[in-house]
């Protein structure tokens, strides 16, 4: 890095500055990127060992201008990385420094990460926008692109299209009780069971990821048939370009209820819900090679792709004398 820049573990008091730097970095590449919140980062940091697995870069004067974190999947042999450089500090070598740290730390972590199979190597995973500087840097360091995800969005205006529900299917909001949340979890786990790269999550793991500050059960739509949840759209409110926006975090339909139009109905119901709440747009991320053709469903509903995000993986060597 250039003179005056330093990389170190973060201080708890720096969390708001980290959130600001991350949001500035994300929006500089894609204005439709949803803003992250202090509560989200506070939740993430509570699950990580920030002394080892999180780094900030400070610039001349001490301001936070770079950020990176690492987290290991519960299974599947993957360590996930996330890193950002404030746009005002591009060209100072921050991205390279953070990437080197992530690779070194991930190599230390690798022996403790459950592998996908007996002979499968542990890999470091980065998600970056396609055809940009980060994409080129990862390729130059030997990363292999394994998947492309699409960020899609649609403006909300005018009367929403009314969903058509399959016979015998009714819609309601999750009631937020532990019993209902467990039923939603079971539905989502089954619905995404054949998703590429999917790692199953226990209820506690799932709840730990989703049920924190900002969770609103009224935004979780569930479709039932004969008392059984057969589909769900797990939504939340976000902020995009300074305005309230909706996000469909997960939309899944059990196999027994597919090809009946239920996915489209849940999507349209989500649009209507956000329109009622005054959101100006709604967005989501989707696998470009979804086995169910989800991205095509979203296109037919009026959503457009605003960014392509590549998943890049680097196989890691096993380090001797790993620290943790």
């Amino acid at each position: 890095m250039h003179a005056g820049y330093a990389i170190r573990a973060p201080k708890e008091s720096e969390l708001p500055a980290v959130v600001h730097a991350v949001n500035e970095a994300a929006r500089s590449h894609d204005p439709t990127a949803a803003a992250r919140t202090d509560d989200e980062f506070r939740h993430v940091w509570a699950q990580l060992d920030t002394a080892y697995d999180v780094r900030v870069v400070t610039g001349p004067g001490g301001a936070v201008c770079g950020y990176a974190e690492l987290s290991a999947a519960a299974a599947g042999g993957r360590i996930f990385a996330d890193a950002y450089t404030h746009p005002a500090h591009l060209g100072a070598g921050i991205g390279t420094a953070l990437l080197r740290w992530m690779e070194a730390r991930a190599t230390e972590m690798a022996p403790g990460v459950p592998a996908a199979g007996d002979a499968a190597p542990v890999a470091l995973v980065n998600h970056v926008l396609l055809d940009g500087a980060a994409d080129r840097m990862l390729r130059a360091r030997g990363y292999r692109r394994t998947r492309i995800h699409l960020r899609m969005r649609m403006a909300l205006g005018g009367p929403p299209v009314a969903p058509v529900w399959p016979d015998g299917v009714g819609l309601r909001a999750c009631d937020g009780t532990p019993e209902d949340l467990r039923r939603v979890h079971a539905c989502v786990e089954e619905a995404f069971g054949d998703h590429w790269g999917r790692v199953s999550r226990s209820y506690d793991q799932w709840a730990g990821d989703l049920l924190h500050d900002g969770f609103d059960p009224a935004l979780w739509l569930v479709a039932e048939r004969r008392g059984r949840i057969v589909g769900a759209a797990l939504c939340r409110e976000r902020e995009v370009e300074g305005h309230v926006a909706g996000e469909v975090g997960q939309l899944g339909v059990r196999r027994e209820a597919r090809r009946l139009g239920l996915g489209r109905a849940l999507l349209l119901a989500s649009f209507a819900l956000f329109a009622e709440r005054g959101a100006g747009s709604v967005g989501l991320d989707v696998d470009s090679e979804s086995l169910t053709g989800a991205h095509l469903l979203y296109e037919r509903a009026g959503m457009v792709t605003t960014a392509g995000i590549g998943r890049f993986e680097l196989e890691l060597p096993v380090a001797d004398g790993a620290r943790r």
Side-chain angles (χ1 to χ4, degrees), residues 49 57 91 101 124 128 150 168 180 208 232 239 242 272 289 299 322:
D49 187 338
V57 172
W101 169 77
L124 176 62
V128 301
L150 305 177
D180 206 29
E239 184 252 297
E289 301 176 51
E299 286 179 356

Side-chain angles (χ1 to χ4, degrees), residues 15 21 24 84 95 97 110 115 129 142 159 178 180 193 202 271 275:
L15 187 145
E24 289 296 303
Y84 302 86
L129 289 176
D180 206 29
S202 69
F271 292 171

Side-chain angles (χ1 to χ4, degrees), residues 74-201:
R78 296 295 180 266
I79 298 171
F80 291 92
D82 202 15
Y84 302 86
T85 300
H86 191 288
H89 297 267
L90 295 173
I94 295 172
T96 299
L98 289 173
L99 187 58
R100 288 173 176 166
W101 169 77
M102 290 189 294
E103 291 171 358
R105 176 59 185 146
T107 299
E108 293 178 339
M109 296 168 65
V113 176
D118 292 340
V122 175
L124 176 62
V125 179
N126 269 280
H127 289 89
V128 301
L129 289 176
L130 296 175
D131 303 323
D135 181 329
R136 294 189 291 272
M137 180 167 59
L138 293 178
R139 292 177 187 273
R141 294 182 69 85
Y143 285 73
R144 179 174 59 93
R145 194 182 76 194
T146 56
R147 210 71 169 179
I148 295 176
H149 297 270
L150 305 177
R151 180 172 294 158
M152 305 185 74
R153 183 157 294 279
M154 186 182 79
L156 296 174
V161 178
V164 177
W165 299 99
D167 290 342
V169 174
L171 180 73
R172 65 173 176 83
C174 173
D175 65 20
T177 63
E179 295 78 15
D180 206 29
L181 290 170
R182 286 186 178 275
R183 295 174 66 212
V184 172
H185 165 257
C187 174
V188 171
E189 283 297 300
E190 181 180 325
F192 284 90
D194 52 6
H195 190 275
W196 183 87
R198 179 72 174 180
V199 176
S200 63
R201 291 183 293 176

Side-chain angles (χ1 to χ4, degrees), residues 12-103:
E12 186 174 351
S13 61
E14 291 175 316
L15 187 145
V18 166
V19 176
H20 174 74
V22 167
N23 284 333
E24 289 296 303
R27 288 167 169 171
S28 69
H29 295 293
D30 177 13
T32 69
R36 305 278 295 276
T37 67
D38 288 10
D39 285 339
E40 288 179 62
F41 270 85
R42 197 169 290 112
H43 176 71
V44 170
W45 282 15
Q47 299 180 80
L48 300 177
D49 187 338
T50 56
Y52 289 98
D53 301 332
V54 180
R55 286 293 180 268
V56 295
V57 172
T58 56
V64 173
C65 52
Y67 175 79
E69 68 185 38
L70 290 175
S71 62
R78 296 295 180 266
I79 298 171
F80 291 92
D82 202 15
Y84 302 86
T85 300
H86 191 288
H89 297 267
L90 295 173
I94 295 172
T96 299
L98 289 173
L99 187 58
R100 288 173 176 166
W101 169 77
M102 290 189 294
E103 291 171 358

